[in-house]
Amino acid sequence: MKRLTSFLTSWEALLVLLLLIGVVIGAILSPYFLSSYNLEYALPSNIMEIAIMALPMTLIIIAGEIDLSVASVLGLASVVLGLLWERGFPMWLAIGVALVVGLVAGCLNGLLVTRLALPSLVVTIGTLALYRGLAYVVLGDQAVSDFPTAFTNLGFGTIPGTEVPWSSLIFAILAVIFGVVLHFSRWGRQIYAMGNNKEAARFSGINVGGVKLMLFMLSGVIAALAGVIFTSRFSSARPDNAVGFELYVVTVVLLGGVNIFGGRGSLLGVVLAIFIVGVLQDALSLLNISGDIQSLAIGLLLILSVLGPNIAQRIQVVVAHRRLAMGSSKQV
Amino acid sequence: MTTASQGVKRVKQRNQANQARLLGLVSRVRELGLLVVLLLIILIVGVQAPRFLSIDNFEQILLSVAILAIVAVGETLVVLTRNVDLSVGSMVGLTAFVTAYFFKQLPGINLLLGILLGCALGLLLGMINGLLVSFGRVPAIVATLGTLYVYRGLVFIFASNTTSQINASDVPGDYLALATTQIFGIPSLILIAAVIAVIVGYFLHASPSGRQLYAIGSNPDAANMVGRALCHRRRDQCCGPGIAGHRGGCSRRGQYLRWLGHHPGCDVRGDCPGHIAKRVKHPEHFPVLAAGALWRGNYWGRGA
Amino acid sequence: MKKLFQTLGPGFLVFVMLLLAACGGTTSTGGSTPTSGTGSSNSLNIVFVPKQVNNPYFDTAASGGKLAATALSGQFKQVGPSSANAAAQVPFITSLTQQHVGAIVISGDDPNAVAPSLKQAMAQGIKVVSYDADVAPDARNVFINQADSEQIGRSEVDLLAQQINSAGQIAILSAASTAANQNTWIGFMKDELAKKYPNMQLVKVAYGNDDDQTSFNQTLALLQQYPNLKGIISPTTVGIAAAGRALESVHKGGTVALTGLGTPNQLRAYVKDGTIKGFELWNPSDLGYLAYYVAALLVQGKIQGNVGDTFTAGKLGRYTIGANHVVLLGPPTVFNSANIDQFNF
């Protein structure tokens, strides 16, 4: 019973509730919401790149850092892929090189943060601009857009026999892997420890620098993977792909209950938050509401989700104080 | 040991000490490092493309960063206290559009009143951020991330529901002139930016409240214990970027219209300030953040 | 228990969503089963997807579309991204596909990037008409071309050549590097230069992405990089307006010739003060009108979109679908100080 109540009052429970509310409202507002096409295909495919990037971002934020360069790495990987394809290299090679580019980019981030002890916020703001600029250098004003159908099916097509896009499958697999790592493995415990108290973790023998470097490299590779999926979904490799996505990724992770200062949060929360944002965006698109207003709704949701509990807590404290005061005044 | 060799040794030591002091100075004073990098870049580019070194070009550069500078000054106030404000870009856009809209709707309005109105809006937007952070105990990065989206959406709603075109001829000439006049040959925008920077810089260094910001950033708990009304402080200087954001907004609009200033017939799509918002909100807030962090050096509040 | 839930939760959730979707397929099946004709009623539900919204050129086209909608008692709506980006157009197309609209009328930011989603729409029975900027030919039923591409390209160069005595360095300020219409015109411009104007050199093609600030900056960069630049062609309404502003900001209006495609309202002042001596355009309102009409006729089944089909498009008269399923609106108009006051768009 205790476990049940503690679960029910947890952040995850709130998110499940929000998700259900979102689905219900979506179903009421638009007759097209509950179609299998929408739920299986349209909703997931729009949010998949952000979802995939949110997985390593969760780990990084729990560890007490942040990586704002993910969208730029996505763009860079995308243009590298496009450039190599245009020059005639085989697709598997192009994809491989793009992933390596992501790895290197993440490595650079990690080295700057761990070896030079620079704040990750500052470093990744810098590399955000750096990698985006590199993307422009690589491809200039051009864009590559004629990709083979086999490739575009990766992002745009569905698993044969169902309507689930391939990217959903990739996300599901990655989510399970990350979930196991974060909640069940030694590394997961180490990440939580680092986020809570970096110095104490170091003194306990955890290789803080090494783990963080790995996390940043992981983030880079995953961002590059997201870039491959993005490129295939839109059949377009441009330097300005996914501009602004990093904020969405951070929003989703924060909405998922991960503490921005590190040390707390769960992957389940983030997955729920991904679906909430996906449902919100999808429902609003079906009503032909523009993207800017969708962002407004998401921003509002983010603020209220943190503000709400804080205000509720404060009211609780005030009420408890009042009760105490009244109680003591009665004891005359 | 002879006096001669002792003398030589002493000179060497003195030289070494001087060198060490200089290096120490450069490595400690962050601004010096930035200056060195700046000079290096100018040198390298200037050698490759001599046109880079022309006065015209520098004026163009200064103009294009004038607005960024104003907003960065405000952002610095926030970063000093160990917070961030990601929403400055959206605030600039929103205040720019609303100000222009008021000038269009009330043609006879006093120029100063219009500007003050805009500043008041900036103050309000910043205050919302500040209240969320101090009273609502929402971490600054979360709050301002949210308000970034909210303000951006507000501009969009406002722009698409009111007017689709704000011409340069719809706003009073004085407003446009704000950006086009030159004082002693220097464009007024640059002067405004410089004045704001100087005033705020002086405030930070010389006044008690300015030093308090450093204190809050260095060690919030200690500052709290010393009895500052932390809430009050944080809220106040979250307004700072709001006002700066508005000034940035005014000036951005002004610059936009500056080029149109000669020709009132030209159109600025009403969405253009909205477009300003959309464009400014994303790419701009990161340079502002970077500028703020770079200028005031250490992210965690310890300034020189 | 909690840990187990936390780990299995994500996968479980995905499974639940799929289950929900599979059972909850109340309305249309969508997906691979093609539905014949229009899924919804016979009412003309036609939606325009321009390159970007809040763009005066496309807004004018939309007003033409609205006129046609009124004439045909149909519905009109316009949705699109705020920045001219193909990747941003795709979610709108997907959303409209789900809503089973009658027809999508689109101006593509990139002909290939939007093709997969458009093909999916067509597979569901939605008619696709492209206007202004074409998409991949197999991803649309008909393309409404505003004017003969060759004619636009060549006449732009001729216009500029007149203004600079057929000699000197020139540059082109285009929109998005992937826009099909831009690239076709630029191709013809280069051909015209090679054939008729040996003394004019095209030094650069810059891209402003139909973004005012970018176009402005690109123009300034061009002027800096090529101090001897004699003329600029900007075949995009956003680009030419920004270029005019940029020229005036450095007091080069009149020294560096500027021409291109623009709307009279935006460029009236520049024409009056001599920065722009002449430019061309067609009537975007007519373009929108024709596009809506063709889409409506397709939806109603009155034409099939085959080459050789003829039809009457309301007030615009008779048209024939030409090769490659293209319908031509008409010849472009040249605007200069003599006639610019006659137009209001």
Side-chain angles (χ1 to χ4, degrees), chain A residues 124 176 187 297:
Chain A
T124 55
V176 168
W187 286 331

Side-chain angles (χ1 to χ4, degrees), chain C residues 52 80 85 91 115 121 127-128 132 160 162 169 196 203 217 228 256 261 263 284 303 307 333:
Chain C
Q52 62 179 153
N85 190 330
K127 304 294 176 195
V128 175
D132 179 66
L160 188 65
Q162 280 169 20
Q169 294 181 330
K196 280 168 66 174
V203 290
N217 290 336
N228 294 325
V256 177
L261 300 173
T263 60
I303 57 172
V307 177
T333 315

Side-chain angles (χ1 to χ4, degrees), chain A residues 3 6-7 10 12 16 19 23 30-43 45-46 136 141-146 152 156 163-164 168 171-172 175-176 179-180 183-184 189 192 230 232-236 238 240-241 265-268 271-272 275 279 282 285-292, chain C residues 1-11 13-14 17-22 24-33 40 45 47 77 79-80 82 84-88 90-92 94-101 109-114 116-118 120 124 176-178 204-207 209 218:
Chain A
R3 279 217 201 99
S6 87
F7 171 70
S10 72
E12 285 80 9
V16 171
L19 183 61
V23 170
S30 171
Y32 307 107
F33 187 75
L34 278 182
S35 72
S36 63
Y37 177 72
N38 186 36
L39 284 177
E40 286 183 19
Y41 179 75
L43 196 155
S45 65
N46 266 333
Y136 275 101
D141 281 319
Q142 306 307 313
V144 179
S145 57
D146 52 353
T152 53
F156 203 77
E163 290 187 352
V164 177
S168 282
F171 170 69
V176 168
V180 166
H183 294 293
F184 275 85
R189 302 311 314 162
Y192 275 104
F230 189 97
S232 92
R233 184 152 78 94
F234 294 109
S235 181
S236 158
R238 295 176 60 103
D240 60 1
N241 274 347
S266 78
L267 204 73
L268 172 65
V271 172
L272 285 170
F275 280 114
V279 161
D282 189 67
S285 309
L286 283 178
L287 297 172
N288 287 323
I289 292 181
S290 108
D292 288 297
Chain C
M1 180 61 202
K2 188 173 179 188
K3 262 195 161 181
L4 203 64
F5 187 66
Q6 277 183 343
T7 318
L8 293 185
L13 262 172
V14 176
M17 291 287 276
L18 292 181
L19 218 59
L20 215 128
T26 48
T27 48
S28 47
T29 46
S32 40
T33 355
S40 49
N45 187 3
V47 181
K77 205 162 26 185
V79 296
S82 6
N85 190 330
V90 171
F92 289 101
T94 320
S95 172
L96 291 174
T97 309
Q98 289 169 260
Q99 297 174 46
H100 289 278
V101 296
D109 284 306
D110 180 318
N112 294 320
V114 294
S117 43
L118 285 176
Q120 222 178 29
Q124 302 232 3
S177 61
T178 49
K204 182 144 188 228
V205 178
Y207 296 100
N209 289 332
Q218 288 283 345

Side-chain angles (χ1 to χ4, degrees), chain C residues 117-200:
Chain C
S117 43
L118 285 176
K119 283 192 214 168
Q120 222 178 29
M122 282 172 71
Q124 302 232 3
I126 299 177
K127 304 294 176 195
V128 175
V129 171
S130 55
Y131 75 118
D132 179 66
D134 201 3
V135 296
D138 56 350
R140 46 93 168 140
N141 294 104
V142 179
F143 171 46
I144 316 290
N145 199 354
Q146 48 267 30
D148 184 55
S149 309
E150 181 164 353
Q151 202 174 7
I152 294 180
R154 296 192 192 282
S155 58
E156 288 283 285
V157 174
D158 291 336
L159 257 180
L160 188 65
Q162 280 169 20
Q163 297 174 28
I164 62 174
N165 281 329
S166 311
Q169 294 181 330
I170 66 164
I172 298 178
L173 176 66
S174 178
S177 61
T178 49
N181 52 359
Q182 295 286 322
N183 290 331
T184 316
W185 299 331
I186 292 176
F188 283 116
M189 286 183 208
K190 288 185 179 162
D191 188 65
E192 184 80 351
L193 282 170
K195 277 209 199 123
K196 280 168 66 174
Y197 302 103
N199 290 333
M200 282 166 63

Side-chain angles (χ1 to χ4, degrees), chain A residues 3-16:
Chain A
R3 279 217 201 99
L4 190 61
T5 33
S6 87
F7 171 70
L8 280 178
T9 51
S10 72
W11 188 265
E12 285 80 9
L14 172 68
L15 290 178
V16 171

